[in-house]
Amino acid sequence: MFVLHGLLLEVAVMSAPLISLHRCCQRAAVLLVARRHWGSSSASPPSLVSRSLDFLARRFYDVEALLNWKSRIGKDQLRKKNFYYGYTHKLYGPDIASAYYILNLGGGFRFVGQSEWFRADSRGKFNWDFLNYKDTPVEEVDMSHTIINYVGLSNLERQPLRTLKVQGCPEVDDWFLAGLHKFQDSLEELDISHCPRITVGGLAALRNLRWLKHLNVSSLPRISSPGLVIILLEEMLPQCRITAHGYDLSQPQVGGEKPEERLEAEG
């Protein structure tokens, strides 16, 4: 069991070299077959190179299986981390369940009426004193650089969130933004900067956040026409201050179309 665990850790750390080895094995198998086919003497003993290529060819499917296994483990971890914390909700109520979910993912939060923030440290450890605040709603949440996704929003939907930060979250996408309508009556500040999966179509869903006062959309790599998008957001959310750093707004926009037309085309 310990040997298997160690092997999985090595695969996780060395995934890039394993992919290179995966490709090398494919080439090795082809070279080995060619060498055998065109070899002048089948009776001569195989060279060291031939034996090495033969070994790699035989191990090709072992490497492929380990890579697929690592991928399945990652998806399973993502699902388990974001599932609904129904058991905690039943024992302690929705507020503690939301708080526990946030800390378990490595985020931070602040309760209504409190100045103290509860946060998980770099090792995922946190202070359990938040259990003393039963029946106290969560008001501000910082999930930056965590693996929160659309499914995980079910753990927050009973909270009157005023601030939500998901900066640099790899699983935050257009479905996630569509799910934010659950906070349309309370959310005032939203930071979705540096999220690699957000597109213009997802930003259109933010029109439901009627009380939003500050929106950070900096450095969204899948936004192809940032100038048009910024204009669109300012028209869609006239009461909101838009922060959008990390774009080259000096370049001409695609097609010269109006921002609302661009939104309908990409949404």
Short mmCIF file of all heavy atoms in Angstrom, two decimals, residues 176-239:
data_model
loop_
_atom_site.label_atom_id
_atom_site.label_comp_id
_atom_site.label_asym_id
_atom_site.label_seq_id
_atom_site.Cartn_x
_atom_site.Cartn_y
_atom_site.Cartn_z
N PHE A 176 -20.40 28.84 -13.64
CA PHE A 176 -20.25 29.41 -12.30
C PHE A 176 -20.85 30.81 -12.26
O PHE A 176 -21.60 31.15 -11.32
CB PHE A 176 -18.76 29.46 -11.94
CG PHE A 176 -18.47 29.97 -10.55
CD1 PHE A 176 -18.33 29.08 -9.49
CD2 PHE A 176 -18.33 31.32 -10.30
CE1 PHE A 176 -18.06 29.55 -8.21
CE2 PHE A 176 -18.05 31.79 -9.03
CZ PHE A 176 -17.92 30.90 -7.98
N LEU A 177 -20.54 31.63 -13.26
CA LEU A 177 -21.07 32.99 -13.29
C LEU A 177 -22.59 32.98 -13.41
O LEU A 177 -23.27 33.82 -12.80
CB LEU A 177 -20.46 33.77 -14.46
CG LEU A 177 -18.95 33.98 -14.42
CD1 LEU A 177 -18.51 34.92 -15.53
CD2 LEU A 177 -18.49 34.51 -13.07
N ALA A 178 -23.13 32.05 -14.17
CA ALA A 178 -24.59 31.95 -14.28
C ALA A 178 -25.22 31.61 -12.93
O ALA A 178 -26.34 32.05 -12.64
CB ALA A 178 -24.96 30.90 -15.32
N GLY A 179 -24.51 30.86 -12.11
CA GLY A 179 -25.04 30.48 -10.80
C GLY A 179 -25.02 31.59 -9.77
O GLY A 179 -25.63 31.46 -8.70
N LEU A 180 -24.36 32.70 -10.08
CA LEU A 180 -24.28 33.81 -9.12
C LEU A 180 -25.59 34.58 -8.98
O LEU A 180 -25.69 35.46 -8.12
CB LEU A 180 -23.16 34.77 -9.53
CG LEU A 180 -21.73 34.21 -9.47
CD1 LEU A 180 -20.72 35.27 -9.90
CD2 LEU A 180 -21.40 33.71 -8.07
N HIS A 181 -26.58 34.25 -9.79
CA HIS A 181 -27.88 34.91 -9.65
C HIS A 181 -28.48 34.64 -8.27
O HIS A 181 -29.37 35.39 -7.82
CB HIS A 181 -28.83 34.43 -10.74
CG HIS A 181 -29.28 33.01 -10.57
ND1 HIS A 181 -30.38 32.66 -9.79
CD2 HIS A 181 -28.79 31.85 -11.06
CE1 HIS A 181 -30.52 31.35 -9.82
NE2 HIS A 181 -29.58 30.83 -10.57
N LYS A 182 -28.01 33.60 -7.60
CA LYS A 182 -28.49 33.30 -6.25
C LYS A 182 -28.17 34.41 -5.26
O LYS A 182 -28.78 34.50 -4.19
CB LYS A 182 -27.87 31.98 -5.77
CG LYS A 182 -28.15 30.80 -6.67
CD LYS A 182 -27.29 29.60 -6.34
CE LYS A 182 -27.49 28.46 -7.31
NZ LYS A 182 -26.59 27.30 -7.05
N PHE A 183 -27.20 35.24 -5.60
CA PHE A 183 -26.78 36.32 -4.70
C PHE A 183 -27.14 37.70 -5.27
O PHE A 183 -26.55 38.70 -4.91
CB PHE A 183 -25.26 36.24 -4.47
CG PHE A 183 -24.77 34.87 -4.12
CD1 PHE A 183 -24.06 34.11 -5.03
CD2 PHE A 183 -25.04 34.32 -2.88
CE1 PHE A 183 -23.62 32.85 -4.71
CE2 PHE A 183 -24.60 33.05 -2.54
CZ PHE A 183 -23.89 32.31 -3.47
N GLN A 184 -28.12 37.75 -6.15
CA GLN A 184 -28.44 38.99 -6.85
C GLN A 184 -28.99 40.08 -5.91
O GLN A 184 -28.92 41.27 -6.24
CB GLN A 184 -29.45 38.73 -7.96
CG GLN A 184 -30.78 38.17 -7.50
CD GLN A 184 -31.71 37.88 -8.66
OE1 GLN A 184 -31.41 38.17 -9.81
NE2 GLN A 184 -32.86 37.30 -8.35
N ASP A 185 -29.51 39.67 -4.77
CA ASP A 185 -30.07 40.66 -3.84
C ASP A 185 -29.09 41.12 -2.78
O ASP A 185 -29.44 41.96 -1.94
CB ASP A 185 -31.31 40.08 -3.15
CG ASP A 185 -32.46 39.84 -4.12
OD1 ASP A 185 -32.57 40.61 -5.09
OD2 ASP A 185 -33.22 38.86 -3.93
N SER A 186 -27.86 40.59 -2.79
CA SER A 186 -26.91 40.97 -1.74
C SER A 186 -25.51 41.29 -2.24
O SER A 186 -24.82 42.12 -1.65
CB SER A 186 -26.80 39.84 -0.70
OG SER A 186 -26.30 38.65 -1.30
N LEU A 187 -25.06 40.67 -3.33
CA LEU A 187 -23.66 40.78 -3.74
C LEU A 187 -23.33 42.20 -4.21
O LEU A 187 -23.98 42.75 -5.10
CB LEU A 187 -23.37 39.78 -4.86
CG LEU A 187 -21.89 39.48 -5.11
CD1 LEU A 187 -21.23 38.90 -3.86
CD2 LEU A 187 -21.72 38.53 -6.28
N GLU A 188 -22.28 42.77 -3.60
CA GLU A 188 -21.85 44.13 -3.93
C GLU A 188 -20.45 44.18 -4.55
O GLU A 188 -20.13 45.12 -5.26
CB GLU A 188 -21.86 45.00 -2.67
CG GLU A 188 -23.24 45.16 -2.04
CD GLU A 188 -23.20 46.01 -0.79
OE1 GLU A 188 -22.10 46.50 -0.43
OE2 GLU A 188 -24.26 46.18 -0.15
N GLU A 189 -19.63 43.18 -4.27
CA GLU A 189 -18.27 43.17 -4.80
C GLU A 189 -17.93 41.77 -5.30
O GLU A 189 -18.11 40.79 -4.59
CB GLU A 189 -17.26 43.58 -3.72
CG GLU A 189 -15.83 43.64 -4.22
CD GLU A 189 -14.87 44.13 -3.15
OE1 GLU A 189 -15.35 44.60 -2.09
OE2 GLU A 189 -13.64 44.04 -3.35
N LEU A 190 -17.42 41.70 -6.54
CA LEU A 190 -17.09 40.42 -7.17
C LEU A 190 -15.74 40.53 -7.87
O LEU A 190 -15.52 41.44 -8.68
CB LEU A 190 -18.17 40.03 -8.17
CG LEU A 190 -17.93 38.75 -8.98
CD1 LEU A 190 -17.87 37.53 -8.06
CD2 LEU A 190 -19.02 38.57 -10.03
N ASP A 191 -14.84 39.61 -7.56
CA ASP A 191 -13.52 39.56 -8.18
C ASP A 191 -13.38 38.23 -8.91
O ASP A 191 -13.27 37.17 -8.28
CB ASP A 191 -12.42 39.70 -7.13
CG ASP A 191 -11.01 39.77 -7.74
OD1 ASP A 191 -10.87 39.51 -8.95
OD2 ASP A 191 -10.06 40.06 -6.99
N ILE A 192 -13.39 38.27 -10.25
CA ILE A 192 -13.23 37.06 -11.06
C ILE A 192 -11.98 37.16 -11.93
O ILE A 192 -11.87 36.49 -12.98
CB ILE A 192 -14.47 36.82 -11.94
CG1 ILE A 192 -14.77 38.04 -12.80
CG2 ILE A 192 -15.67 36.45 -11.08
CD1 ILE A 192 -15.90 37.83 -13.80
N SER A 193 -11.03 37.97 -11.53
CA SER A 193 -9.82 38.19 -12.32
C SER A 193 -8.96 36.94 -12.40
O SER A 193 -8.99 36.09 -11.51
CB SER A 193 -9.01 39.35 -11.72
OG SER A 193 -8.62 39.05 -10.39
N HIS A 194 -8.22 36.83 -13.49
CA HIS A 194 -7.24 35.74 -13.70
C HIS A 194 -7.89 34.35 -13.73
O HIS A 194 -7.21 33.36 -13.43
CB HIS A 194 -6.15 35.78 -12.62
CG HIS A 194 -5.38 37.06 -12.60
ND1 HIS A 194 -4.28 37.30 -13.41
CD2 HIS A 194 -5.56 38.19 -11.86
CE1 HIS A 194 -3.81 38.51 -13.16
NE2 HIS A 194 -4.57 39.08 -12.23
N CYS A 195 -9.16 34.27 -14.07
CA CYS A 195 -9.82 32.97 -14.20
C CYS A 195 -9.75 32.53 -15.66
O CYS A 195 -10.35 33.19 -16.53
CB CYS A 195 -11.28 33.05 -13.74
SG CYS A 195 -11.46 33.29 -11.95
N PRO A 196 -9.06 31.45 -15.97
CA PRO A 196 -8.75 31.11 -17.36
C PRO A 196 -9.90 30.58 -18.19
O PRO A 196 -9.79 30.47 -19.41
CB PRO A 196 -7.66 30.03 -17.21
CG PRO A 196 -7.92 29.40 -15.88
CD PRO A 196 -8.43 30.51 -15.01
N ARG A 197 -11.04 30.26 -17.58
CA ARG A 197 -12.13 29.61 -18.34
C ARG A 197 -13.32 30.52 -18.60
O ARG A 197 -14.30 30.11 -19.21
CB ARG A 197 -12.59 28.35 -17.59
CG ARG A 197 -11.47 27.32 -17.40
CD ARG A 197 -11.95 26.09 -16.66
NE ARG A 197 -12.98 25.38 -17.40
CZ ARG A 197 -13.58 24.28 -16.96
NH1 ARG A 197 -13.28 23.79 -15.77
NH2 ARG A 197 -14.50 23.68 -17.69
N ILE A 198 -13.27 31.76 -18.16
CA ILE A 198 -14.39 32.68 -18.33
C ILE A 198 -14.37 33.28 -19.74
O ILE A 198 -13.33 33.71 -20.23
CB ILE A 198 -14.35 33.79 -17.27
CG1 ILE A 198 -14.66 33.20 -15.89
CG2 ILE A 198 -15.33 34.91 -17.60
CD1 ILE A 198 -14.55 34.21 -14.77
N THR A 199 -15.54 33.33 -20.38
CA THR A 199 -15.68 33.93 -21.70
C THR A 199 -16.70 35.08 -21.64
O THR A 199 -17.33 35.32 -20.61
CB THR A 199 -16.15 32.89 -22.73
OG1 THR A 199 -17.51 32.54 -22.45
CG2 THR A 199 -15.28 31.63 -22.68
N VAL A 200 -16.87 35.75 -22.77
CA VAL A 200 -17.83 36.85 -22.85
C VAL A 200 -19.25 36.35 -22.56
O VAL A 200 -20.05 37.04 -21.93
CB VAL A 200 -17.76 37.52 -24.24
CG1 VAL A 200 -18.86 38.55 -24.40
CG2 VAL A 200 -16.41 38.18 -24.45
N GLY A 201 -19.55 35.14 -23.03
CA GLY A 201 -20.88 34.60 -22.79
C GLY A 201 -21.20 34.48 -21.31
O GLY A 201 -22.34 34.71 -20.89
N GLY A 202 -20.21 34.14 -20.48
CA GLY A 202 -20.44 34.04 -19.05
C GLY A 202 -20.63 35.40 -18.41
O GLY A 202 -21.44 35.55 -17.48
N LEU A 203 -19.91 36.40 -18.90
CA LEU A 203 -20.04 37.74 -18.33
C LEU A 203 -21.44 38.30 -18.52
O LEU A 203 -21.89 39.14 -17.73
CB LEU A 203 -19.01 38.68 -18.97
CG LEU A 203 -17.53 38.38 -18.66
CD1 LEU A 203 -16.63 39.33 -19.44
CD2 LEU A 203 -17.24 38.48 -17.17
N ALA A 204 -22.14 37.85 -19.55
CA ALA A 204 -23.50 38.34 -19.78
C ALA A 204 -24.42 38.01 -18.63
O ALA A 204 -25.38 38.74 -18.36
CB ALA A 204 -24.04 37.73 -21.08
N ALA A 205 -24.16 36.91 -17.92
CA ALA A 205 -25.02 36.50 -16.80
C ALA A 205 -24.93 37.46 -15.62
O ALA A 205 -25.79 37.43 -14.74
CB ALA A 205 -24.65 35.09 -16.36
N LEU A 206 -23.90 38.30 -15.59
CA LEU A 206 -23.73 39.20 -14.46
C LEU A 206 -24.75 40.34 -14.46
O LEU A 206 -24.83 41.10 -13.49
CB LEU A 206 -22.30 39.79 -14.47
CG LEU A 206 -21.17 38.76 -14.37
CD1 LEU A 206 -19.82 39.47 -14.35
CD2 LEU A 206 -21.33 37.89 -13.13
N ARG A 207 -25.54 40.45 -15.51
CA ARG A 207 -26.56 41.50 -15.55
C ARG A 207 -27.59 41.32 -14.44
O ARG A 207 -28.29 42.27 -14.08
CB ARG A 207 -27.27 41.49 -16.91
CG ARG A 207 -28.02 40.22 -17.22
CD ARG A 207 -29.01 40.42 -18.37
NE ARG A 207 -28.34 40.86 -19.56
CZ ARG A 207 -27.92 40.05 -20.55
NH1 ARG A 207 -28.09 38.74 -20.42
NH2 ARG A 207 -27.36 40.52 -21.62
N ASN A 208 -27.68 40.11 -13.88
CA ASN A 208 -28.64 39.86 -12.80
C ASN A 208 -28.20 40.44 -11.46
O ASN A 208 -29.02 40.55 -10.55
CB ASN A 208 -28.86 38.35 -12.65
CG ASN A 208 -29.44 37.71 -13.90
OD1 ASN A 208 -30.38 38.24 -14.49
ND2 ASN A 208 -28.89 36.56 -14.30
N LEU A 209 -26.93 40.80 -11.34
CA LEU A 209 -26.40 41.28 -10.06
C LEU A 209 -26.67 42.79 -9.95
O LEU A 209 -25.78 43.63 -10.12
CB LEU A 209 -24.90 40.97 -9.96
CG LEU A 209 -24.54 39.49 -10.12
CD1 LEU A 209 -23.04 39.30 -10.02
CD2 LEU A 209 -25.26 38.64 -9.08
N ARG A 210 -27.88 43.13 -9.63
CA ARG A 210 -28.34 44.52 -9.69
C ARG A 210 -27.75 45.41 -8.61
O ARG A 210 -27.76 46.63 -8.75
CB ARG A 210 -29.86 44.56 -9.62
CG ARG A 210 -30.43 43.83 -8.40
CD ARG A 210 -31.94 43.78 -8.48
NE ARG A 210 -32.51 43.03 -7.35
CZ ARG A 210 -33.81 42.85 -7.20
NH1 ARG A 210 -34.66 43.36 -8.06
NH2 ARG A 210 -34.25 42.16 -6.15
N TRP A 211 -27.23 44.83 -7.51
CA TRP A 211 -26.65 45.63 -6.44
C TRP A 211 -25.12 45.67 -6.48
O TRP A 211 -24.49 46.19 -5.58
CB TRP A 211 -27.09 45.11 -5.06
CG TRP A 211 -28.57 45.17 -4.87
CD1 TRP A 211 -29.45 44.12 -4.83
CD2 TRP A 211 -29.37 46.34 -4.69
NE1 TRP A 211 -30.74 44.56 -4.64
CE2 TRP A 211 -30.71 45.93 -4.54
CE3 TRP A 211 -29.08 47.72 -4.64
CZ2 TRP A 211 -31.75 46.83 -4.37
CZ3 TRP A 211 -30.12 48.61 -4.46
CH2 TRP A 211 -31.43 48.17 -4.31
N LEU A 212 -24.55 45.14 -7.55
CA LEU A 212 -23.09 45.06 -7.65
C LEU A 212 -22.48 46.47 -7.77
O LEU A 212 -22.90 47.27 -8.60
CB LEU A 212 -22.69 44.23 -8.87
CG LEU A 212 -21.29 43.63 -8.86
CD1 LEU A 212 -21.11 42.67 -7.68
CD2 LEU A 212 -21.01 42.91 -10.17
N LYS A 213 -21.48 46.75 -6.92
CA LYS A 213 -20.82 48.05 -6.90
C LYS A 213 -19.40 48.02 -7.45
O LYS A 213 -18.88 49.04 -7.90
CB LYS A 213 -20.80 48.62 -5.48
CG LYS A 213 -22.18 48.87 -4.89
CD LYS A 213 -22.08 49.40 -3.46
CE LYS A 213 -23.46 49.65 -2.86
NZ LYS A 213 -23.37 50.13 -1.45
N HIS A 214 -18.75 46.87 -7.38
CA HIS A 214 -17.37 46.75 -7.87
C HIS A 214 -17.17 45.38 -8.50
O HIS A 214 -17.46 44.36 -7.89
CB HIS A 214 -16.36 46.95 -6.74
CG HIS A 214 -14.94 46.90 -7.20
ND1 HIS A 214 -13.90 46.48 -6.39
CD2 HIS A 214 -14.39 47.18 -8.41
CE1 HIS A 214 -12.77 46.53 -7.08
NE2 HIS A 214 -13.04 46.94 -8.30
N LEU A 215 -16.67 45.37 -9.73
CA LEU A 215 -16.41 44.14 -10.47
C LEU A 215 -14.99 44.17 -11.02
O LEU A 215 -14.61 45.10 -11.72
CB LEU A 215 -17.42 43.99 -11.61
CG LEU A 215 -17.18 42.82 -12.59
CD1 LEU A 215 -17.30 41.48 -11.87
CD2 LEU A 215 -18.16 42.90 -13.75
N ASN A 216 -14.21 43.15 -10.70
CA ASN A 216 -12.83 43.03 -11.20
C ASN A 216 -12.78 41.92 -12.25
O ASN A 216 -12.96 40.75 -11.94
CB ASN A 216 -11.87 42.73 -10.05
CG ASN A 216 -10.41 42.83 -10.46
OD1 ASN A 216 -10.08 42.82 -11.65
ND2 ASN A 216 -9.52 42.95 -9.49
N VAL A 217 -12.50 42.31 -13.50
CA VAL A 217 -12.40 41.35 -14.61
C VAL A 217 -11.01 41.40 -15.24
O VAL A 217 -10.84 41.14 -16.43
CB VAL A 217 -13.48 41.62 -15.68
CG1 VAL A 217 -14.87 41.34 -15.14
CG2 VAL A 217 -13.39 43.06 -16.20
N SER A 218 -10.01 41.69 -14.46
CA SER A 218 -8.64 41.83 -14.97
C SER A 218 -8.09 40.48 -15.45
O SER A 218 -8.35 39.44 -14.86
CB SER A 218 -7.72 42.39 -13.87
OG SER A 218 -8.15 43.66 -13.45
N SER A 219 -7.32 40.55 -16.54
CA SER A 219 -6.53 39.41 -17.03
C SER A 219 -7.35 38.14 -17.21
O SER A 219 -7.01 37.09 -16.67
CB SER A 219 -5.35 39.15 -16.08
OG SER A 219 -4.51 40.28 -15.99
N LEU A 220 -8.40 38.24 -17.99
CA LEU A 220 -9.18 37.06 -18.38
C LEU A 220 -8.69 36.63 -19.77
O LEU A 220 -9.00 37.29 -20.76
CB LEU A 220 -10.68 37.36 -18.40
CG LEU A 220 -11.29 37.79 -17.07
CD1 LEU A 220 -12.78 38.09 -17.24
CD2 LEU A 220 -11.08 36.73 -16.00
N PRO A 221 -7.93 35.56 -19.89
CA PRO A 221 -7.25 35.24 -21.15
C PRO A 221 -8.17 34.89 -22.30
O PRO A 221 -7.77 34.97 -23.46
CB PRO A 221 -6.37 34.03 -20.76
CG PRO A 221 -6.99 33.46 -19.55
CD PRO A 221 -7.59 34.60 -18.81
N ARG A 222 -9.42 34.48 -22.04
CA ARG A 222 -10.32 34.10 -23.12
C ARG A 222 -11.20 35.24 -23.61
O ARG A 222 -12.10 35.04 -24.42
CB ARG A 222 -11.19 32.92 -22.67
CG ARG A 222 -10.38 31.66 -22.35
CD ARG A 222 -11.25 30.46 -22.13
NE ARG A 222 -11.98 30.08 -23.34
CZ ARG A 222 -12.85 29.07 -23.40
NH1 ARG A 222 -13.10 28.36 -22.32
NH2 ARG A 222 -13.47 28.79 -24.52
N ILE A 223 -10.93 36.45 -23.14
CA ILE A 223 -11.64 37.63 -23.62
C ILE A 223 -10.86 38.19 -24.80
O ILE A 223 -9.77 38.73 -24.64
CB ILE A 223 -11.79 38.68 -22.51
CG1 ILE A 223 -12.53 38.09 -21.31
CG2 ILE A 223 -12.50 39.91 -23.04
CD1 ILE A 223 -13.92 37.61 -21.62
N SER A 224 -11.41 38.07 -26.00
CA SER A 224 -10.69 38.45 -27.20
C SER A 224 -10.80 39.94 -27.54
O SER A 224 -9.93 40.49 -28.20
CB SER A 224 -11.19 37.62 -28.39
OG SER A 224 -12.59 37.81 -28.58
N SER A 225 -11.86 40.60 -27.13
CA SER A 225 -12.06 42.02 -27.42
C SER A 225 -12.34 42.77 -26.12
O SER A 225 -13.48 43.17 -25.84
CB SER A 225 -13.22 42.21 -28.40
OG SER A 225 -12.98 41.51 -29.60
N PRO A 226 -11.32 42.98 -25.30
CA PRO A 226 -11.56 43.54 -23.96
C PRO A 226 -12.16 44.94 -23.98
O PRO A 226 -12.95 45.28 -23.09
CB PRO A 226 -10.15 43.55 -23.34
CG PRO A 226 -9.21 43.49 -24.49
CD PRO A 226 -9.89 42.69 -25.54
N GLY A 227 -11.80 45.76 -24.98
CA GLY A 227 -12.37 47.10 -25.03
C GLY A 227 -13.88 47.07 -25.16
O GLY A 227 -14.60 47.79 -24.46
N LEU A 228 -14.37 46.23 -26.07
CA LEU A 228 -15.81 46.09 -26.24
C LEU A 228 -16.48 45.52 -25.00
O LEU A 228 -17.58 45.94 -24.63
CB LEU A 228 -16.10 45.18 -27.44
CG LEU A 228 -15.78 45.74 -28.83
CD1 LEU A 228 -15.96 44.67 -29.88
CD2 LEU A 228 -16.64 46.95 -29.14
N VAL A 229 -15.83 44.58 -24.38
CA VAL A 229 -16.40 43.93 -23.20
C VAL A 229 -16.53 44.92 -22.05
O VAL A 229 -17.54 44.93 -21.34
CB VAL A 229 -15.53 42.73 -22.78
CG1 VAL A 229 -15.98 42.18 -21.42
CG2 VAL A 229 -15.61 41.63 -23.83
N ILE A 230 -15.52 45.76 -21.87
CA ILE A 230 -15.58 46.75 -20.79
C ILE A 230 -16.73 47.73 -21.02
O ILE A 230 -17.48 48.07 -20.09
CB ILE A 230 -14.23 47.50 -20.69
CG1 ILE A 230 -13.13 46.52 -20.24
CG2 ILE A 230 -14.33 48.66 -19.70
CD1 ILE A 230 -11.74 47.09 -20.32
N ILE A 231 -16.88 48.17 -22.27
CA ILE A 231 -18.01 49.07 -22.59
C ILE A 231 -19.33 48.38 -22.32
O ILE A 231 -20.27 48.97 -21.76
CB ILE A 231 -17.92 49.52 -24.06
CG1 ILE A 231 -16.67 50.38 -24.28
CG2 ILE A 231 -19.16 50.30 -24.46
CD1 ILE A 231 -16.41 50.73 -25.73
N LEU A 232 -19.41 47.12 -22.72
CA LEU A 232 -20.62 46.35 -22.49
C LEU A 232 -20.97 46.26 -21.01
O LEU A 232 -22.11 46.49 -20.60
CB LEU A 232 -20.45 44.94 -23.06
CG LEU A 232 -21.47 43.90 -22.62
CD1 LEU A 232 -22.83 44.20 -23.23
CD2 LEU A 232 -21.01 42.51 -22.98
N LEU A 233 -19.97 45.95 -20.20
CA LEU A 233 -20.20 45.81 -18.76
C LEU A 233 -20.62 47.14 -18.14
O LEU A 233 -21.48 47.16 -17.24
CB LEU A 233 -18.93 45.28 -18.08
CG LEU A 233 -18.56 43.83 -18.38
CD1 LEU A 233 -17.19 43.49 -17.80
CD2 LEU A 233 -19.61 42.87 -17.83
N GLU A 234 -20.03 48.22 -18.59
CA GLU A 234 -20.40 49.54 -18.05
C GLU A 234 -21.84 49.89 -18.41
O GLU A 234 -22.54 50.54 -17.63
CB GLU A 234 -19.44 50.59 -18.59
CG GLU A 234 -18.04 50.48 -18.01
CD GLU A 234 -17.06 51.43 -18.65
OE1 GLU A 234 -17.37 51.96 -19.75
OE2 GLU A 234 -15.98 51.66 -18.08
N GLU A 235 -22.29 49.47 -19.60
CA GLU A 235 -23.68 49.73 -19.98
C GLU A 235 -24.64 48.78 -19.26
O GLU A 235 -25.76 49.17 -18.89
CB GLU A 235 -23.84 49.56 -21.49
CG GLU A 235 -23.11 50.61 -22.31
CD GLU A 235 -23.32 50.44 -23.80
OE1 GLU A 235 -23.97 49.44 -24.19
OE2 GLU A 235 -22.86 51.29 -24.57
N MET A 236 -24.19 47.55 -19.05
CA MET A 236 -25.04 46.55 -18.43
C MET A 236 -25.17 46.78 -16.92
O MET A 236 -26.22 46.51 -16.33
CB MET A 236 -24.43 45.17 -18.70
CG MET A 236 -25.29 43.99 -18.34
SD MET A 236 -24.58 42.44 -18.93
CE MET A 236 -23.09 42.35 -17.92
N LEU A 237 -24.08 47.30 -16.29
CA LEU A 237 -24.06 47.55 -14.85
C LEU A 237 -23.65 49.00 -14.60
O LEU A 237 -22.55 49.28 -14.14
CB LEU A 237 -23.08 46.59 -14.16
CG LEU A 237 -23.36 45.09 -14.32
CD1 LEU A 237 -22.16 44.27 -13.87
CD2 LEU A 237 -24.60 44.68 -13.54
N PRO A 238 -24.54 49.95 -14.88
CA PRO A 238 -24.16 51.37 -14.80
C PRO A 238 -23.79 51.83 -13.40
O PRO A 238 -23.05 52.80 -13.23
CB PRO A 238 -25.42 52.09 -15.31
CG PRO A 238 -26.54 51.12 -15.08
CD PRO A 238 -25.94 49.76 -15.29
N GLN A 239 -24.27 51.14 -12.37
CA GLN A 239 -23.99 51.53 -10.99
C GLN A 239 -22.68 50.94 -10.48
O GLN A 239 -22.27 51.20 -9.35
CB GLN A 239 -25.14 51.09 -10.08
CG GLN A 239 -25.13 49.61 -9.69
CD GLN A 239 -25.49 48.65 -10.82
OE1 GLN A 239 -25.88 49.09 -11.90
NE2 GLN A 239 -25.37 47.35 -10.59
#
